[in-house]
């Protein structure tokens, strides 16, 4: 699976949009981009995933560049409960149960 | 949404004890489950991939006789840490892959088990 690069930490003011970048310049055509987050002392929580089109759900939006070499996770109105480590992961496109390889992630601190 | 239950959430025991951790998919079937380990301030590291009805696949450096994995049904995988020692103290997390004909179903994670060996 392709490697991802994320900033180690970011701050965001409560109520503002949090934009978390991820570089995945070696992504291949059949790899999806997944985002998970981990709140302290809990298991990772699935947020969103996409291939090449932008995606939106009740938690966040995922913007993938046209060349697919980078993406941005957007939390439109960050709250204090969004403070967590956010992981950007690329994974093969199949149903065979491929593992997720976690990098260092971005530690997002939402401040009042 | 899909729910993965992990039990127990916290274990404190003496050195030499064997500890069993259960991972259950509550509302879906999972042919594949994964076991991760996470040390303080570190990222998750995959230990093994557990496939229903077959032997688990272990990552390099993970002792299969130390970390016994059983995946006897489509909703349950267990990890047994045998003869645990203080260096085995860690946060153990499982995840489950939904079994459907649709590709790229996300994995869903349990809330982890914090193991402390005295």
């Amino acid at each position: 699976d392709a490697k991802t690069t994320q900033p180690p930490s970011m701050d965001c003011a409560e109520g503002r949009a949090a934009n978390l970048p991820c570089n995945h310049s070696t992504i291949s055509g059949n790899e999806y981009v997944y985002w998970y987050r981990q709140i302290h002392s809990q298991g990772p929580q699935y947020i969103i995933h996409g291939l090449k089109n932008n995606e939106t759900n009740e938690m966040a939006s995922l913007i993938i560049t046209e060349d697919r070499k980078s993406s941005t996770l957007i939390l439109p109105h960050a709250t204090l409960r969004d403070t967590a480590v956010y992981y950007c992961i690329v994974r093969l496109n199949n149903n065979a149960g491929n593992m997720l390889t976690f990098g260092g992630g971005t530690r997002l601190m939402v401040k009042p | 949404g899909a729910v993965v239950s992990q039990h127990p959430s916290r274990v404190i025991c003496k050195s030499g004890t064997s500890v069993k951790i259960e991972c259950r998919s509550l509302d879906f079937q999972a042919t594949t489950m994964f076991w991760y380990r996470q040390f303080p301030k570190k990222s998750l590291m995959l230990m093994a991939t557990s496939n229903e009805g077959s032997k688990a696949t272990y990552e390099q450096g993970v002792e299969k006789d130390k970390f016994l994995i059983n995946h006897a049904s489509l909703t349950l995988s267990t990890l047994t840490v045998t003869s645990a020692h203080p260096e085995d103290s860690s946060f153990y997390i499982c995840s489950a892959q939904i079994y459907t004909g649709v590709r790229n179903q996300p994995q869903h994670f349990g809330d982890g088990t914090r193991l402390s060996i005295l």
Side-chain angles (χ1 to χ4, degrees):
Chain A
D1 292 339
K3 183 178 177 180
T4 63
T5 304
Q6 298 176 255
S9 64
M10 289 182 63
D11 289 344
C12 177
E14 187 180 18
R16 303 297 293 268
N19 297 287
L20 294 96
C22 180
N23 285 323
H24 31 79
S25 59
T26 60
I27 193 171
S28 61
N30 58 353
E31 286 182 314
Y32 275 58
V33 180
Y34 285 79
W35 283 84
Y36 285 79
R37 72 180 182 184
Q38 186 177 26
I39 295 170
H40 183 62
S41 294
Q42 296 183 20
Q45 177 189 22
Y46 165 75
I47 300 173
I48 199 168
H49 74 282
L51 181 63
K52 53 184 178 181
N53 296 324
N54 298 336
E55 302 287 345
T56 296
N57 63 21
E58 64 279 4
M59 290 184 69
S61 294
L62 174 60
I63 308 298
I64 303 175
T65 57
E66 193 170 341
D67 63 7
R68 301 187 68 238
K69 292 185 177 181
S70 66
S71 61
T72 301
L73 179 75
I74 300 173
L75 308 178
H77 305 287
T79 71
L80 298 179
R81 289 182 294 180
D82 292 322
T83 292
V85 179
Y86 287 77
Y87 295 100
C88 168
I89 302 167
V90 294
R91 197 183 81 163
L92 282 174
N93 171 21
N94 61 46
N95 201 28
N98 281 352
M99 65 183 188
L100 295 170
T101 302
F102 286 81
T106 295
R107 186 173 298 276
L108 176 68
M109 180 73 71
V110 181
K111 298 183 175 181
Chain B
V3 178
V4 175
S5 173
Q6 197 170 333
H7 179 80
S9 58
R10 178 80 192 246
V11 180
I12 302 172
C13 57
K14 294 181 179 179
S15 184
T17 307
S18 291
V19 178
K20 179 185 283 189
I21 303 169
E22 292 187 348
C23 180
R24 294 181 185 273
S25 55
L26 296 185
D27 52 359
F28 64 96
Q29 292 184 328
T31 52
T32 304
M33 291 185 176
F34 301 88
W35 288 95
Y36 296 81
R37 180 168 52 182
Q38 185 176 33
F39 292 106
K41 298 189 185 300
K42 299 293 185 181
S43 190
L44 284 77
M45 295 296 294
L46 181 70
M47 298 176 66
T49 302
S50 168
N51 293 298
E52 186 265 338
S54 63
K55 290 183 179 180
T57 302
Y58 290 82
E59 295 300 299
Q60 190 173 9
V62 179
E63 300 175 56
K64 62 180 181 181
D65 295 329
K66 174 78 172 176
F67 300 99
L68 301 178
I69 292 173
N70 183 280
H71 192 160
S73 77
L74 286 173
T75 59
L76 173 65
S77 176
T78 61
L79 168 68
T80 301
V81 183
T82 61
S83 187
H85 292 284
E87 59 266 28
D88 298 321
S89 297
S90 188
F91 191 47
Y92 292 86
I93 309 169
C94 72
S95 71
Q97 172 80 33
I98 294 177
Y99 175 66
T100 70
V102 178
R103 290 184 170 185
N104 276 288
Q105 291 295 308
Q107 289 180 26
H108 294 276
F109 288 79
D111 270 339
T113 297
R114 188 161 300 282
L115 176 63
S116 300
I117 307 298
L118 305 177

